[in-house]
Amino acid sequence: VQLQASGGGLVQPGGSLRLSCVAHGVSANTYTIGWFRQAPGKEREGVSCIANSDGRTSYADSVKARFTISRENGKTMYLQMNSLKPEDTAVYYCGVVMFEWMITGGPRCSASDVSYWGEGTLVTVSS
């Protein structure tokens, strides 16, 4: 499995960015793919995930109503990030979890479950 993330950069507070992740080599139908982030001095955390089998999504409370995850053609995943805040500054990674564990209507999105990681892309929110 290969994951290639792109789209990070420097943006002012209140601005927007869109991250992309292209996934190659995932042959299973039942898996979760998502975005995770790691801020300096903090543990890697789940941001948003999508279940491959039915497209159900989940979001961390800190990004709900601001971030939107989506997929195109089953290979490219996006994270549209709006109303960005300084606390969104982090290295963002795409990752694949080789199962779907549905909780509260969407897939569990935990960094500890990830089997495959892409290289990170840095998002800096600063004026």
Side-chain angles (χ1 to χ4, degrees):
V1 175
Q2 290 186 327
L3 304 167
Q4 296 175 300
S6 61
L10 173 64
V11 63
Q12 292 187 341
S16 299
L17 276 177
R18 188 174 80 157
L19 305 182
S20 301
C21 174
V22 180
H24 297 281
V26 186
S27 57
N29 181 59
T30 305
Y31 65 90
T32 301
I33 187 167
W35 292 97
F36 304 80
R37 69 185 180 187
Q38 188 164 19
K42 294 189 176 181
E43 292 187 356
R44 197 170 297 188
E45 63 176 357
V47 175
S48 180
C49 286
I50 187 165
N52 180 70
S53 63
D54 63 8
R56 277 186 279 179
T57 60
S58 59
Y59 295 90
D61 287 343
S62 59
V63 306
K64 279 180 182 176
R66 299 189 299 122
F67 291 10
T68 303
I69 192 170
S70 62
R71 292 189 77 192
E72 183 178 86
N73 298 326
K75 285 191 175 181
T76 304
M77 176 179 65
Y78 300 101
L79 186 69
Q80 178 66 43
M81 305 186 294
N82 298 329
S83 303
L84 282 160
K85 305 175 181 179
E87 51 264 44
D88 294 318
T89 295
V91 178
Y92 284 71
Y93 300 88
C94 51
V96 170
V97 175
M98 295 308 296
F99 57 82
E100 295 175 356
W101 182 351
M102 296 302 176
I103 52 175
T104 61
R108 172 178 152 112
C109 192
S110 173
S112 62
D113 295 336
V114 175
S115 297
Y116 301 99
W117 290 105
E119 292 187 2
T121 184
L122 177 63
V123 172
T124 304
V125 185
S126 175
S127 56

